[in-house]
Amino acid sequence: TTFHQGSTPHGIALVATCPKKKLFAFTERILQPRITVCEYPHLEMKSFLDGGADVEYAALAFDRNGVHLISVAALPDLTLTVWVWKTQEKRVTTTLSTGPTAALSIAGADDNLMCTQSPRMLQVWTLALTYKTWTLESTEVWLRSSLIADSVH
């Protein structure tokens, strides 16, 4: 067993894995949390991603090929950020207009397609390169109140 000294005694908040690249990423329970990307099984720290959230992250996920790490910052930020974790670059960041996010998923067949879930809506995001500019384009899927009530019970 190997232990790494964290920056806080409050523990880990979120973990994301990429089995294809043998990577995992985590955030700690602190203000202005940093995302740490490590290689498994050696637990070598590969990258540190700063500036993606003021208070905490709501979700983390790698794309299938391990090129991008996607993060969702919780309140008050409410931002979706696509990171190139190897270079610590924020490829693109956008504000979530739908409120707090409950879940994040990446399409298995298309690394440029992702989905965020809020209490009343799904947003399907497409990462697109237009000339030299990366953008996130969203399609909103509103859930009917009766469907939400049925899923809660």
Side-chain angles (χ1 to χ4, degrees):
T1 303
T2 303
F3 294 97
H4 287 279
Q5 180 66 39
S7 61
T8 174
H10 304 294
I12 292 175
L14 292 171
V15 174
T17 62
C18 180
K20 187 172 186 176
K21 295 285 187 177
K22 297 184 179 179
L23 297 170
F24 69 95
F26 66 90
T27 65
E28 293 182 85
R29 293 184 190 279
I30 57 173
L31 292 178
Q32 298 178 338
R34 159 185 275 182
I35 300 172
T36 303
V37 179
C38 299
E39 183 182 47
Y40 184 83
H42 306 294
L43 301 181
E44 180 183 345
M45 294 185 187
K46 295 296 215 177
S47 187
F48 299 100
L49 308 176
D50 294 310
D54 286 336
V55 178
E56 67 180 336
Y57 287 99
L60 283 179
F62 280 101
D63 66 15
R64 183 175 55 131
N65 291 312
V67 174
H68 297 115
L69 178 69
I70 296 85
S71 65
V72 175
L75 288 169
D77 306 304
L78 296 177
T79 55
L80 174 72
T81 303
V82 178
W83 302 84
V84 180
W85 67 267
K86 280 187 179 181
T87 62
Q88 302 172 332
E89 170 196 355
K90 287 182 182 179
R91 176 142 287 167
V92 65
T93 298
T94 191
T95 300
L96 299 171
S97 60
T98 60
T101 296
L104 166 69
S105 62
I106 312 301
D110 185 349
D111 286 344
N112 294 330
L113 198 58
M114 56 202 83
C115 180
T116 55
Q117 174 194 347
S118 63
R120 296 195 181 269
M121 182 194 325
L122 298 175
Q123 278 186 288
V124 179
W125 298 90
T126 303
L127 178 63
L129 178 61
T130 306
Y131 300 105
K132 294 183 179 182
T133 304
W134 288 93
T135 60
L136 281 168
E137 300 164 5
S138 73
T139 302
E140 298 175 349
V141 179
W142 287 91
L143 304 175
R144 290 191 336 219
S145 297
S146 61
L147 290 175
I148 296 168
D150 291 344
S151 68
V152 172
H153 299 294

